[in-house]
Amino acid sequence: MFDVRYKTANEPLEEKEMMWVETIDKLLEDENLRKNYSEKAKQRAEDFRIEKIVEEWKEVLR
C-alpha cells in the first residue's frame, strides 16, 4: 500500500498516508467507533474457528 521508504519529519505525507492518519485519529478519538470495530472483528474471527473450517471442508469433500 505504501512505498517502503523512510521519510524525515519535514517531508509531507502523501494522500494515501494522510488517509491512514485521519482514520487512526478517528479511532483514537471515538470510543464508540473503536468498540464497534472491535465487535465486528470478533464476529469476523468466528468465521475462522477451526470447527467451522473443518465443517466447511467436510462439505467440500462430500
Side-chain angles (χ1 to χ4, degrees):
M1 172 121 204
F2 300 109
D3 294 329
V4 180
R5 176 177 88 73
Y6 294 103
K7 293 182 176 186
T8 66
N10 295 330
E11 288 183 77
L13 296 175
E14 296 174 18
E15 185 177 338
K16 58 187 171 185
E17 293 168 324
M18 281 304 301
M19 178 202 62
W20 280 105
V21 169
E22 291 166 3
T23 300
I24 291 170
D25 278 347
K26 283 181 191 175
L27 285 169
L28 290 172
E29 293 172 3
D30 190 335
E31 184 177 357
N32 288 328
L33 186 60
R34 286 193 310 272
K35 287 180 180 180
N36 186 27
Y37 275 108
S38 175
E39 187 58 38
K40 287 182 179 188
K42 290 175 190 175
Q43 291 170 1
R44 180 70 173 122
E46 290 293 315
D47 291 339
F48 301 97
R49 287 181 39 244
I50 189 69
E51 298 84 4
K52 184 170 182 171
I53 300 294
V54 167
E55 286 303 315
E56 289 176 359
W57 271 105
K58 285 180 181 178
E59 282 296 314
V60 168
L61 296 172
R62 287 187 192 139

Coordinates of all heavy atoms in Angstrom, one line a residue:
M1 N 0.8 -1.2 0.0 CA 0.0 0.0 0.0 C 0.9 1.3 0.0 O 0.5 2.2 -0.6 CB -0.9 0.0 1.2 CG -1.7 1.2 1.5 SD -3.4 0.8 1.4 CE -4.1 2.3 1.0
F2 N 2.0 1.2 0.8 CA 2.8 2.4 0.8 C 4.2 2.0 0.2 O 4.6 0.8 0.2 CB 3.1 2.8 2.3 CG 1.8 3.2 3.0 CD1 1.3 2.4 4.0 CD2 1.2 4.4 2.7 CE1 0.1 2.7 4.7 CE2 0.0 4.7 3.4 CZ -0.5 3.9 4.3
D3 N 4.9 3.0 -0.3 CA 6.2 2.8 -0.7 C 7.1 2.6 0.6 O 6.9 3.4 1.5 CB 6.8 4.0 -1.5 CG 6.0 4.2 -2.8 OD1 5.6 3.2 -3.4 OD2 5.9 5.4 -3.2
V4 N 7.9 1.6 0.5 CA 8.7 1.3 1.7 C 9.9 2.2 1.6 O 10.9 2.0 1.0 CB 9.2 -0.2 1.8 CG1 10.0 -0.4 3.0 CG2 7.9 -1.1 1.8
R5 N 9.8 3.4 2.3 CA 10.8 4.4 2.3 C 10.7 5.2 3.5 O 9.6 5.7 3.8 CB 10.7 5.2 1.0 CG 11.7 6.4 0.9 CD 11.5 7.1 -0.4 NE 10.5 8.1 -0.4 CZ 10.7 9.3 0.2 NH1 11.7 9.6 0.9 NH2 9.7 10.2 0.2
Y6 N 11.7 5.4 4.2 CA 11.6 6.2 5.4 C 11.7 7.7 5.1 O 12.4 8.1 4.2 CB 12.8 5.9 6.4 CG 12.6 4.5 7.0 CD1 13.4 3.5 6.5 CD2 11.7 4.2 8.0 CE1 13.3 2.2 7.0 CE2 11.6 2.9 8.4 CZ 12.4 1.9 8.0 OH 12.3 0.6 8.4
K7 N 10.9 8.5 5.7 CA 10.8 9.9 5.5 C 11.3 10.7 6.7 O 11.2 10.2 7.8 CB 9.4 10.3 5.2 CG 8.8 9.8 3.9 CD 7.4 10.3 3.7 CE 6.8 9.8 2.4 NZ 5.6 10.4 2.1
T8 N 11.8 11.8 6.4 CA 12.1 12.7 7.5 C 10.8 13.4 8.1 O 9.8 13.3 7.4 CB 13.1 13.8 7.1 OG1 12.4 14.7 6.2 CG2 14.3 13.2 6.4
A9 N 10.9 13.9 9.2 CA 9.8 14.6 9.8 C 9.3 15.8 9.1 O 8.2 16.2 9.2 CB 10.1 15.0 11.3
N10 N 10.2 16.3 8.2 CA 9.8 17.5 7.5 C 9.2 17.2 6.1 O 8.7 18.1 5.5 CB 11.1 18.4 7.2 CG 11.7 18.9 8.5 OD1 11.0 19.1 9.5 ND2 13.0 19.1 8.5
E11 N 9.2 16.0 5.7 CA 8.6 15.6 4.4 C 7.1 15.5 4.5 O 6.6 14.9 5.5 CB 9.2 14.3 3.9 CG 10.6 14.3 3.4 CD 11.1 13.0 2.9 OE1 10.7 12.7 1.7 OE2 11.8 12.3 3.6
P12 N 6.4 16.1 3.6 CA 4.9 16.0 3.6 C 4.4 14.5 3.4 O 5.1 13.8 2.6 CB 4.5 16.9 2.5 CG 5.6 17.0 1.6 CD 6.9 16.8 2.4
L13 N 3.3 14.2 3.9 CA 2.7 12.9 3.7 C 2.0 12.9 2.4 O 1.4 13.9 2.0 CB 1.8 12.5 4.8 CG 2.4 12.4 6.2 CD1 1.3 12.1 7.2 CD2 3.4 11.3 6.3
E14 N 2.0 11.7 1.8 CA 1.2 11.5 0.5 C -0.3 11.4 0.9 O -0.6 11.2 2.1 CB 1.7 10.3 -0.2 CG 3.1 10.3 -0.7 CD 3.6 9.0 -1.3 OE1 2.7 8.2 -1.6 OE2 4.8 8.8 -1.4
E15 N -1.1 11.5 -0.1 CA -2.6 11.5 0.2 C -3.0 10.2 0.8 O -3.8 10.2 1.8 CB -3.3 11.6 -1.2 CG -4.8 11.7 -1.0 CD -5.6 11.9 -2.3 OE1 -4.9 12.4 -3.3 OE2 -6.7 11.6 -2.4
K16 N -2.5 9.1 0.4 CA -2.9 7.8 1.0 C -2.4 7.7 2.4 O -3.0 7.1 3.3 CB -2.5 6.6 0.1 CG -1.0 6.5 -0.1 CD -0.8 5.4 -1.1 CE 0.7 5.4 -1.6 NZ 1.0 4.4 -2.6
E17 N -1.2 8.3 2.7 CA -0.7 8.3 4.1 C -1.6 9.1 5.0 O -1.9 8.8 6.1 CB 0.7 8.7 4.1 CG 1.7 7.8 3.4 CD 3.1 8.4 3.1 OE1 3.2 9.6 2.8 OE2 4.0 7.6 3.2
M18 N -2.0 10.3 4.5 CA -2.9 11.2 5.2 C -4.2 10.5 5.5 O -4.8 10.7 6.6 CB -3.1 12.5 4.5 CG -2.0 13.5 4.6 SD -1.5 13.9 6.3 CE -3.0 14.5 6.9
M19 N -4.7 9.7 4.6 CA -6.0 9.0 4.8 C -5.8 8.0 6.0 O -6.7 8.0 6.9 CB -6.3 8.1 3.6 CG -7.6 7.3 3.8 SD -7.7 5.9 2.7 CE -6.3 4.9 3.1
W20 N -4.7 7.3 6.1 CA -4.5 6.5 7.3 C -4.3 7.3 8.6 O -4.9 6.9 9.6 CB -3.2 5.6 7.1 CG -3.5 4.4 6.2 CD1 -3.2 4.3 4.9 CD2 -4.3 3.3 6.5 NE1 -3.7 3.1 4.4 CE2 -4.4 2.5 5.4 CE3 -4.9 2.9 7.7 CZ2 -5.0 1.2 5.3 CZ3 -5.6 1.6 7.6 CH2 -5.6 0.8 6.5
V21 N -3.7 8.4 8.5 CA -3.5 9.2 9.7 C -4.9 9.7 10.2 O -5.2 9.6 11.4 CB -2.6 10.4 9.4 CG1 -2.7 11.5 10.5 CG2 -1.2 10.0 9.2
E22 N -5.7 10.1 9.3 CA -7.1 10.6 9.6 C -7.9 9.5 10.2 O -8.6 9.6 11.2 CB -7.7 11.2 8.4 CG -7.1 12.5 8.0 CD -7.5 13.0 6.6 OE1 -8.4 12.3 6.0 OE2 -7.0 14.0 6.1
T23 N -7.8 8.3 9.6 CA -8.5 7.1 10.1 C -8.1 6.7 11.5 O -9.0 6.5 12.4 CB -8.4 5.9 9.1 OG1 -8.8 6.3 7.8 CG2 -9.1 4.7 9.6
I24 N -6.8 6.7 11.7 CA -6.3 6.3 13.1 C -6.7 7.4 14.1 O -7.1 7.1 15.2 CB -4.8 6.1 13.0 CG1 -4.5 4.9 12.2 CG2 -4.2 6.0 14.4 CD1 -3.0 4.7 11.9
D25 N -6.6 8.7 13.7 CA -7.1 9.7 14.6 C -8.6 9.5 15.0 O -8.9 9.7 16.1 CB -6.9 11.1 13.9 CG -5.5 11.7 14.0 OD1 -4.7 11.1 14.8 OD2 -5.2 12.6 13.3
K26 N -9.4 9.2 14.0 CA -10.8 9.0 14.3 C -11.0 7.8 15.3 O -11.8 7.9 16.2 CB -11.6 8.6 13.0 CG -11.9 9.8 12.1 CD -12.7 9.3 10.9 CE -12.8 10.4 9.9 NZ -13.4 9.9 8.6
L27 N -10.2 6.7 15.1 CA -10.3 5.6 16.0 C -9.8 6.0 17.4 O -10.4 5.6 18.4 CB -9.5 4.4 15.5 CG -10.2 3.7 14.3 CD1 -9.2 2.7 13.7 CD2 -11.4 3.0 14.8
L28 N -8.8 6.8 17.5 CA -8.3 7.2 18.8 C -9.2 8.1 19.5 O -9.3 8.1 20.8 CB -6.9 7.9 18.6 CG -5.8 7.0 18.2 CD1 -4.5 7.8 17.9 CD2 -5.4 6.0 19.3
E29 N -10.0 8.9 18.8 CA -10.9 9.9 19.4 C -12.2 9.4 19.7 O -12.9 9.9 20.6 CB -11.0 11.1 18.5 CG -9.7 11.9 18.3 CD -9.8 13.0 17.3 OE1 -10.9 13.2 16.7 OE2 -8.8 13.7 17.0
D30 N -12.7 8.3 19.1 CA -14.1 7.9 19.1 C -14.2 6.5 19.8 O -14.0 5.5 19.1 CB -14.7 7.9 17.7 CG -16.2 7.7 17.7 OD1 -16.7 7.1 18.7 OD2 -16.8 8.1 16.8
E31 N -14.5 6.4 21.0 CA -14.6 5.2 21.7 C -15.6 4.3 21.2 O -15.5 3.0 21.0 CB -14.8 5.4 23.2 CG -14.8 4.1 24.0 CD -15.0 4.3 25.5 OE1 -15.0 5.5 26.0 OE2 -15.0 3.3 26.2
N32 N -16.8 4.8 20.8 CA -17.9 4.0 20.2 C -17.4 3.4 18.9 O -17.8 2.2 18.6 CB -19.1 4.9 20.0 CG -19.8 5.2 21.3 OD1 -19.7 4.4 22.3 ND2 -20.4 6.3 21.4
L33 N -16.7 4.1 18.1 CA -16.2 3.6 16.8 C -15.3 2.4 17.1 O -15.3 1.4 16.4 CB -15.5 4.7 16.0 CG -15.1 4.3 14.6 CD1 -16.3 3.9 13.7 CD2 -14.3 5.5 14.0
R34 N -14.4 2.6 18.1 CA -13.4 1.5 18.4 C -14.2 0.3 18.9 O -13.9 -0.8 18.5 CB -12.5 2.0 19.5 CG -11.4 2.9 19.1 CD -10.3 3.1 20.1 NE -10.8 3.4 21.4 CZ -11.0 4.6 21.9 NH1 -10.8 5.6 21.1 NH2 -11.4 4.8 23.2
K35 N -15.2 0.5 19.7 CA -16.0 -0.7 20.2 C -16.7 -1.4 19.1 O -16.8 -2.6 19.0 CB -17.0 -0.2 21.3 CG -16.3 0.1 22.6 CD -17.4 0.6 23.6 CE -16.7 0.9 24.9 NZ -17.7 1.4 25.9
N36 N -17.2 -0.6 18.2 CA -17.9 -1.1 17.0 C -17.0 -2.0 16.2 O -17.3 -3.1 15.8 CB -18.5 0.0 16.2 CG -19.4 -0.5 15.1 OD1 -20.0 -1.6 15.1 ND2 -19.5 0.3 14.0
Y37 N -15.8 -1.5 15.8 CA -14.9 -2.2 15.1 C -14.4 -3.5 15.8 O -14.2 -4.5 15.2 CB -13.7 -1.4 14.6 CG -14.0 -0.6 13.4 CD1 -14.2 0.8 13.4 CD2 -14.0 -1.2 12.1 CE1 -14.4 1.5 12.3 CE2 -14.3 -0.5 11.0 CZ -14.5 0.9 11.1 OH -14.7 1.6 9.9
S38 N -14.2 -3.3 17.1 CA -13.8 -4.4 17.9 C -14.8 -5.6 17.9 O -14.5 -6.7 17.7 CB -13.6 -4.0 19.4 OG -13.3 -5.1 20.2
E39 N -16.1 -5.2 18.0 CA -17.1 -6.2 18.0 C -17.2 -6.9 16.6 O -17.3 -8.1 16.5 CB -18.5 -5.6 18.3 CG -19.6 -6.6 18.5 CD -19.3 -7.7 19.5 OE1 -18.7 -7.4 20.6 OE2 -19.7 -8.8 19.3
K40 N -17.1 -6.1 15.5 CA -17.1 -6.7 14.2 C -15.9 -7.6 14.0 O -16.1 -8.6 13.3 CB -17.1 -5.5 13.2 CG -18.4 -4.8 13.1 CD -18.4 -3.8 12.0 CE -19.8 -3.1 11.9 NZ -19.9 -2.2 10.8
A41 N -14.8 -7.2 14.5 CA -13.6 -8.1 14.4 C -13.8 -9.4 15.1 O -13.4 -10.5 14.5 CB -12.4 -7.4 14.9
K42 N -14.4 -9.4 16.3 CA -14.7 -10.6 17.0 C -15.7 -11.5 16.2 O -15.5 -12.7 16.1 CB -15.2 -10.3 18.4 CG -14.2 -9.7 19.3 CD -14.9 -9.3 20.6 CE -14.0 -8.5 21.5 NZ -14.6 -8.0 22.7
Q43 N -16.7 -10.9 15.6 CA -17.6 -11.6 14.8 C -17.0 -12.2 13.6 O -17.2 -13.4 13.3 CB -18.8 -10.7 14.4 CG -19.7 -10.3 15.5 CD -20.7 -9.2 15.1 OE1 -20.7 -8.8 14.0 NE2 -21.5 -8.7 16.1
R44 N -16.1 -11.5 13.0 CA -15.4 -12.0 11.8 C -14.5 -13.1 12.1 O -14.3 -14.1 11.4 CB -14.7 -10.8 11.1 CG -13.9 -11.2 9.9 CD -14.8 -11.6 8.7 NE -14.1 -11.8 7.5 CZ -14.1 -12.9 6.8 NH1 -14.9 -13.9 7.2 NH2 -13.3 -13.0 5.7
A45 N -13.8 -13.0 13.3 CA -12.9 -14.1 13.7 C -13.6 -15.4 13.9 O -13.0 -16.5 13.7 CB -12.3 -13.7 15.0
E46 N -14.9 -15.4 14.2 CA -15.7 -16.6 14.3 C -15.7 -17.4 13.0 O -15.8 -18.6 13.0 CB -17.2 -16.3 14.7 CG -17.3 -15.8 16.1 CD -16.9 -16.9 17.2 OE1 -17.4 -18.0 17.0 OE2 -16.2 -16.6 18.1
D47 N -15.6 -16.7 11.9 CA -15.5 -17.4 10.6 C -14.3 -18.3 10.4 O -14.3 -19.1 9.6 CB -15.5 -16.4 9.4 CG -16.9 -15.7 9.3 OD1 -17.9 -16.2 9.8 OD2 -16.9 -14.6 8.7
F48 N -13.3 -18.1 11.3 CA -12.1 -18.8 11.2 C -11.8 -19.8 12.3 O -10.7 -20.3 12.4 CB -10.9 -17.8 11.1 CG -11.0 -16.9 9.9 CD1 -11.6 -15.6 10.1 CD2 -10.6 -17.3 8.6 CE1 -11.7 -14.8 9.0 CE2 -10.8 -16.5 7.5 CZ -11.3 -15.2 7.7
R49 N -12.9 -20.1 13.1 CA -12.8 -21.1 14.1 C -12.5 -22.4 13.4 O -13.1 -22.7 12.4 CB -14.1 -21.1 14.9 CG -14.2 -20.0 15.8 CD -15.5 -20.0 16.7 NE -15.8 -21.3 17.2 CZ -17.0 -22.0 16.8 NH1 -17.8 -21.5 16.0 NH2 -17.2 -23.2 17.3
I50 N -11.7 -23.2 14.1 CA -11.3 -24.5 13.5 C -12.5 -25.4 13.2 O -12.6 -26.1 12.2 CB -10.2 -25.2 14.3 CG1 -9.7 -26.4 13.6 CG2 -10.8 -25.6 15.7 CD1 -8.8 -26.1 12.4
E51 N -13.5 -25.4 14.1 CA -14.7 -26.2 14.0 C -15.4 -25.8 12.7 O -15.9 -26.7 12.0 CB -15.6 -26.1 15.2 CG -15.0 -26.5 16.5 CD -14.1 -25.5 17.2 OE1 -14.0 -24.3 16.7 OE2 -13.5 -25.8 18.2
K52 N -15.5 -24.5 12.4 CA -16.2 -24.1 11.2 C -15.5 -24.5 10.0 O -16.1 -24.9 9.0 CB -16.5 -22.6 11.3 CG -17.3 -22.1 10.1 CD -17.7 -20.6 10.3 CE -18.5 -20.2 9.1 NZ -19.2 -19.0 9.2
I53 N -14.2 -24.3 10.0 CA -13.3 -24.6 8.9 C -13.4 -26.1 8.5 O -13.6 -26.5 7.4 CB -11.9 -24.2 9.1 CG1 -11.7 -22.7 9.4 CG2 -11.0 -24.7 8.0 CD1 -12.1 -21.9 8.2
V54 N -13.4 -27.0 9.6 CA -13.5 -28.4 9.4 C -14.8 -28.8 8.8 O -14.9 -29.6 7.8 CB -13.3 -29.1 10.7 CG1 -13.7 -30.6 10.6 CG2 -11.8 -29.0 11.2
E55 N -15.9 -28.2 9.2 CA -17.2 -28.5 8.7 C -17.3 -28.0 7.2 O -17.9 -28.7 6.4 CB -18.3 -27.8 9.5 CG -18.6 -28.4 10.8 CD -18.9 -29.9 10.7 OE1 -19.8 -30.3 9.8 OE2 -18.4 -30.7 11.4
E56 N -16.7 -26.9 6.9 CA -16.7 -26.4 5.5 C -15.9 -27.4 4.6 O -16.4 -27.7 3.5 CB -16.2 -25.0 5.4 CG -17.1 -24.0 6.0 CD -16.6 -22.6 6.0 OE1 -15.4 -22.4 5.6 OE2 -17.3 -21.7 6.5
W57 N -14.8 -27.9 5.1 CA -14.0 -28.8 4.3 C -14.8 -30.2 4.1 O -14.7 -30.8 3.1 CB -12.7 -29.1 5.0 CG -11.6 -28.1 4.5 CD1 -11.1 -27.1 5.1 CD2 -11.0 -28.1 3.2 NE1 -10.2 -26.4 4.3 CE2 -10.2 -27.0 3.1 CE3 -11.2 -28.9 2.0 CZ2 -9.4 -26.7 2.0 CZ3 -10.4 -28.6 0.9 CH2 -9.5 -27.5 0.9
K58 N -15.5 -30.6 5.2 CA -16.3 -31.8 5.1 C -17.3 -31.7 3.9 O -17.5 -32.6 3.2 CB -17.0 -32.1 6.4 CG -16.0 -32.7 7.4 CD -16.8 -33.0 8.7 CE -15.9 -33.6 9.8 NZ -16.6 -33.8 11.0
E59 N -17.9 -30.5 3.9 CA -18.9 -30.2 2.8 C -18.3 -30.3 1.5 O -18.9 -30.8 0.5 CB -19.6 -28.9 3.1 CG -20.7 -28.9 4.1 CD -21.8 -29.8 3.8 OE1 -22.3 -29.7 2.6 OE2 -22.2 -30.6 4.6
V60 N -17.1 -29.7 1.3 CA -16.4 -29.7 0.0 C -16.1 -31.1 -0.4 O -16.2 -31.5 -1.6 CB -15.2 -28.8 0.1 CG1 -14.3 -29.0 -1.1 CG2 -15.5 -27.3 0.3
L61 N -15.7 -31.9 0.6 CA -15.2 -33.3 0.2 C -16.4 -34.2 0.0 O -16.1 -35.3 -0.5 CB -14.3 -33.8 1.3 CG -13.0 -33.0 1.4 CD1 -12.2 -33.4 2.7 CD2 -12.1 -33.1 0.2
R62 N -17.6 -33.9 0.4 CA -18.7 -34.8 0.2 C -19.2 -34.8 -1.2 O -19.2 -34.1 -2.1 CB -19.9 -34.4 1.1 CG -19.6 -34.7 2.5 CD -20.8 -34.5 3.4 NE -20.4 -34.6 4.7 CZ -20.8 -33.8 5.7 NH1 -21.6 -32.9 5.5 NH2 -20.3 -33.9 6.9

